Amino acid sequence: MAVTAVVGLQWGDEAKGKIVDILADQHEIVVRYLGGNNAGHTVMFDGQTYKLSLLPSGILRPDATSVIANGVVINPKALLSEIERIKAQGAKLGKLLISDKAHVIFPYHMAEEAILEARRGDKAIGTTMRGIGTCYRDKAGRNHAIRMGDLLRPELFRERLEEIVTDKNIILKAFDPSSQTFSAQEIYDEYMGYVEQLKDSVIDTTSYLHHELKGGSSMLFEGAQGSLLDIDHGTFPYVTSSNSSGCGIQAGSGVPSRKIDRMIGIVKAYTSRVGGGPCPTELEDETGEHIRQEGHEFGTVTGRPRRCGWFDAVATGHGARVSGVDCIAVMLLDVLSKLDELKICEAYEINGERTTDFPSQLDDLALAKPIYRTLPGWKTDITGVRKLEDFPKEAREYIDTVSELLEAEVGFVSIGPDREQTVIL
Ligand code: IMO
Ligand code: MG
């Protein structure tokens, strides 16, 4: 395998971590290119369960190199505590490289986010409160941005921080007179402590990746979040603040998408979503609750119950087109095993018109009535299946329908959390 990418096609939590883990030992370099510690990836490795957030899943392989590329926003405190936590579980970590162009999350980002979310009231985005959106906003705005490379230049860092913290305190107080304020000196001292521990990992990862590509190294791009949370192509404003579809790879790493040999789109066999925003196939009934319980659909990062519903081929198809997938991995199929009947949304009806285009405006999406295709359930335990031909015919029909509607071949079917519980086609 040369260059592979793994991208979520829904609203995140598609179990990308499992496919990344399966593929990681076939790749020398694993690259995370977007998001931050808003992500939550569960990886089972050597009989242990690891919960990763900011670290690429490749970190659990001592002979692989993990790269946190420029598109990621880094909270150094969270990064160091994640490293400590994984080490304490007994894992041997691989080499970690961090882009000097990655932007840094500071405590005022979390404070600002809390105020902005509270001000939206019942229209809150439902963010993870990790300062992700406010850090990306500062990146785009430029005036208040600090990158990892700046931390290695203490005088410049100190000066920038003075200016920024002065402005941030004004902004925070203006929005909320009772808001806490920050001291540039305290943040400087705290962050210089983190820099001391991370500085040897900070490099120009763009040049590094290009040297490695030239030398023929294999690479795995590990997505976080999902295509429908993409800032440009998702359900704006109920999205995350980066390009979480396949579109983000090029900008977030400096590696052009034409270098990717295989783009794998990850889909859950049903729909889940955390936070606010429309979700046409959401089931607010017993079936939704059944899926939530069977799929353990509670957030890894925030512990929130996830909203669950039927598979939505309109929304997911949009994710697949925007990301440009070569094949899909159908995850958590076993979660549906006890249901008598299954539904897959094949089109929306909006104002009496049938469409398979995913609406770009929230009010249109809110009007979308799912048009379902009903399929029979298989009503049997499939967690032991290892070959496609061993699935009950109803499960085959379900997989084939997902594939047909997404116009993509199936490369993997997952029927349990263990590595072996994967049918590879
Ligand atoms: P993984 O990588 C699911 C959602 C949040 C919220 C919105 C914006 O585990 O699939 P943010 O904190 O990013 O500004 O929140 O995005 N969100 C995710 N939902 N899985 C994730 O990551 C998510 N990361 C962010 O719930 O609705
Ligand atoms: Mg998650």
Side-chain angles (χ1 to χ4, degrees):
M1 274 196 204
V3 182
T4 311
V6 168
V7 175
L9 301 188
Q10 294 153 315
W11 281 283
D13 303 321
E14 300 92 348
K16 298 173 286 289
K18 176 173 167 174
I19 297 297
V20 169
D21 176 53
I22 287 173
L23 297 172
D25 61 357
Q26 301 163 33
H27 295 85
E28 291 150 288
I29 300 168
V30 181
V31 187
R32 175 77 188 269
Y33 56 90
L34 81 154
N37 59 326
N38 51 348
H41 299 162
T42 306
V43 180
M44 309 255 274
F45 189 73
D46 273 349
Q48 279 254 35
T49 302
Y50 296 96
K51 300 225 181 263
L52 301 172
S53 188
L54 189 49
L55 288 168
S57 303
I59 201 75
L60 299 171
R61 315 226 167 231
D63 36 350
T65 298
S66 288
V67 176
I68 298 180
N70 59 282
V72 178
V73 286
I74 300 176
N75 177 332
K77 183 181 181 181
L79 176 60
L80 287 164
S81 73
E82 190 175 330
I83 292 172
E84 281 318 307
R85 183 166 48 76
I86 301 296
K87 275 191 187 159
Q89 277 187 270
K92 265 216 170 126
L93 306 197
K95 184 173 172 189
L96 177 67
L97 298 174
I98 301 169
S99 170
D100 58 357
K101 293 189 278 196
H103 284 249
V104 184
I105 298 177
F106 289 94
Y108 47 76
H109 285 126
M110 270 81 83
E112 238 183 319
E113 178 173 19
I115 292 174
L116 292 172
E117 274 285 89
R119 286 173 70 84
R120 286 181 69 95
D122 60 3
K123 293 194 186 69
I125 294 166
T127 69
T128 58
M129 294 288 175
R130 300 293 192 272
I132 307 293
T134 37
C135 182
Y136 277 119
R137 197 174 58 165
D138 282 343
K139 170 180 176 178
R142 295 148 298 161
N143 297 329
H144 295 147
I146 292 181
R147 309 197 294 180
M148 286 303 289
D150 299 332
L151 302 187
L152 304 184
R153 293 158 176 77
E155 266 177 45
L156 171 107
F157 173 43
R158 181 66 222 254
E159 210 176 292
R160 299 274 301 120
L161 206 54
E162 285 286 358
E163 291 164 9
I164 293 169
V165 172
T166 304
D167 284 3
K168 289 288 177 186
N169 286 338
I170 294 171
I171 293 168
L172 290 168
K173 281 283 182 201
F175 272 130
D176 177 3
S178 68
S179 169
Q180 65 180 130
T181 51
F182 293 90
S183 140
Q185 182 66 50
E186 276 173 29
I187 297 179
Y188 177 81
D189 292 342
E190 180 188 341
Y191 275 62
M192 285 315 280
Y194 305 143
V195 174
E196 204 39 49
Q197 298 172 72
L198 293 170
K199 65 177 193 298
D200 294 340
S201 300
V202 180
I203 63 158
D204 171 1
T205 55
T206 313
S207 298
Y208 167 80
L209 291 174
H210 279 278
H211 285 303
E212 291 296 324
L213 277 174
K214 211 169 180 182
S217 293
S218 52
M219 266 173 217
L220 177 63
F221 286 89
E222 173 179 356
Q225 288 88 49
S227 301
L228 303 173
L229 289 172
D230 186 286
I231 181 96
D232 284 288
H233 302 288
T235 46
F236 192 88
Y238 295 96
V239 292
T240 192
S241 300
S242 60
N243 286 115
S244 51
S245 68
C247 302
I249 298 176
Q250 182 153 350
S253 70
V255 173
S257 10
R258 56 194 290 205
K259 298 276 183 199
I260 298 167
D261 302 300
R262 193 181 189 208
M263 175 74 92
I264 305 172
I266 315 294
V267 307
K268 204 176 251 192
Y270 47 93
T271 294
S272 79
R273 162 155 220 185
V274 223
C279 183
T281 61
E282 182 174 8
L283 292 168
E284 289 172 282
D285 61 7
E286 268 171 33
T287 311
E289 187 54 35
H290 172 82
I291 295 175
R292 181 158 39 248
Q293 294 302 332
E294 290 287 308
H296 310 290
E297 292 294 350
F298 298 89
T300 343
V301 176
T302 55
R304 290 177 288 179
R306 295 181 185 139
R307 302 156 62 192
C308 295
W310 297 122
F311 185 81
D312 184 343
V314 179
T316 314
H318 169 72
R321 286 189 294 276
V322 165
S323 294
V325 300
D326 295 302
C327 74
I328 53 168
V330 180
M331 312 302 287
L332 292 127
L333 188 66
D334 54 301
V335 169
L336 303 178
S337 290
K338 292 183 186 153
L339 294 166
D340 295 324
E341 212 176 61
L342 304 164
K343 290 186 185 195
I344 290 181
C345 168
E346 58 174 17
Y348 293 158
E349 189 197 299
I350 301 174
N351 293 325
E353 300 232 8
R354 183 189 167 102
T355 181
T356 51
D357 291 337
F358 189 64
S360 52
Q361 301 300 318
L362 273 195
D363 48 359
D364 290 335
L365 189 56
L367 292 176
K369 290 197 205 88
I371 300 173
Y372 286 114
R373 204 184 276 195
T374 303
L375 291 98
W378 44 91
K379 301 279 283 176
T380 169
D381 183 1
I382 53 170
T383 57
V385 173
R386 296 294 175 266
K387 292 198 292 272
L388 191 65
E389 47 279 22
D390 294 341
F391 276 115
K393 75 171 191 329
E394 295 84 357
R396 276 293 290 273
E397 192 187 344
Y398 192 88
I399 298 164
D400 291 345
T401 306
V402 168
S403 166
E404 173 210 318
L405 292 172
L406 298 189
E407 296 177 25
E409 275 175 33
V410 176
F412 306 79
V413 182
S414 174
I415 28 77
D418 288 345
R419 255 187 151 198
E420 316 85 72
Q421 291 176 304
T422 317
V423 177
I424 303 177
L425 296 136

